[in-house]
């Protein structure tokens, strides 16, 4: 029986090498907001990338210290806390998207994927609007209609 063995993908590397690779990949993902990699690496990176965005949403000194343990470059951490954190403040999870590419890699036939952050300019596929943003938008819209004199129609 396989009880609690290998809950995460090993990716054919030692744990130190895997951690170093994931740190490099999350730094590149924050910097470029979209990277192309193999499908298992993208699925493994998704967990770490979402966790880093959670640190940025809290925007505390402790969150910045935790992010600096993972992200390799200080300007990228600045972008994380000043651009990405406020962008996802009303989204509760699901900050990344993994899209499988149609063609495998030429040399070894590995499945390739694109991992990207959602709600960004130039994204491949538009994301669903979070519920908090919908509520805020419709409440503001209702106030604007009432100030102009248009009655709201309740269904």
């Amino acid at each position: 029986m396989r009880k609690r063995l290998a809950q995460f993908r090993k990716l054919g590397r030692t744990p130190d090498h895997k951690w170093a690779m994931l740190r490099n990949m999350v730094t590149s993902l924050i910097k470029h907001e979209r990277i192309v990699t193999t499908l298992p690496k993208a699925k493994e990176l998704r967990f770490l990338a979402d966790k880093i965005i959670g640190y940025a949403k809290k925007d505390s000194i402790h969150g910045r210290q935790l992010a600096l343990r993972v992200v390799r470059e200080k300007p990228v951490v600045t972008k994380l806390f000043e651009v990405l954190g406020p962008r996802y403040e009303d989204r509760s999870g699901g900050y990344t998207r993994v899209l499988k590419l149609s063609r495998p890699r030429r040399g070894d036939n590995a499945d390739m994927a694109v991992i990207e952050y959602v709600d960004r300019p130039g994204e491949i596929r538009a994301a669903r609007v979070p519920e908090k943003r919908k509520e805020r938008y419709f409440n503001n819209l209702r106030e604007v209609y009432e100030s102009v004199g248009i009655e709201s129609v309740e269904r």
Side-chain angles (χ1 to χ4, degrees):
M1 284 191 203
R2 284 185 71 221
K3 291 188 178 175
R4 288 197 240 172
L5 294 176
Q7 288 141 352
F8 298 105
R9 293 170 185 83
K10 293 187 180 181
L11 302 175
R13 290 162 173 79
T14 61
D16 289 338
H17 185 190
K18 178 185 153 191
W19 177 239
M21 179 194 66
L22 287 175
R23 286 180 64 192
N24 289 333
M25 289 176 73
V26 79
T27 303
S28 297
L29 180 64
I30 293 168
K31 185 188 290 186
H32 303 291
E33 297 191 22
R34 177 194 301 164
I35 59 173
V36 178
T37 183
T38 62
L39 187 62
K41 287 179 191 173
K43 288 180 177 180
E44 193 68 19
L45 178 64
R46 179 175 46 190
F47 171 74
L48 186 61
D50 285 352
K51 194 170 188 174
I52 293 292
I53 292 292
Y55 296 152
K57 282 174 59 174
K58 293 175 188 169
D59 195 18
S60 64
I61 295 173
H62 182 61
R64 195 172 288 266
Q65 290 169 344
L66 291 173
L68 278 167
R69 289 181 189 173
V70 178
V71 179
R72 297 212 182 249
E73 301 173 13
K74 286 192 178 182
V76 175
V77 173
T78 304
K79 177 183 179 180
L80 175 69
F81 279 84
E82 292 180 1
V83 177
L84 297 179
R87 182 189 299 172
Y88 298 116
E89 67 184 355
D90 53 358
R91 182 177 289 276
S92 58
Y95 312 112
T96 55
R97 172 187 302 129
V98 176
L99 297 170
K100 185 176 176 184
L101 296 178
S102 60
R103 294 188 181 180
R105 190 162 54 195
R106 189 164 181 218
D108 59 355
N109 207 25
D111 289 331
M112 299 299 288
V114 173
I115 182 167
E116 68 177 0
Y117 282 119
V118 298
D119 283 345
R120 67 178 194 86
E123 64 183 336
I124 295 174
R125 200 178 101 206
R128 291 184 187 149
V129 179
E131 292 298 322
K132 290 180 185 176
R133 196 179 302 162
K134 278 185 191 175
E135 291 172 8
R136 191 173 11 171
Y137 173 76
F138 286 121
N139 287 338
N140 291 343
L141 189 64
R142 201 171 292 126
E143 290 172 7
V144 170
Y145 282 160
E146 289 172 359
S147 68
V148 175
I150 301 173
E151 296 178 11
S152 63
V153 177
E154 299 290 328
R155 291 182 187 195

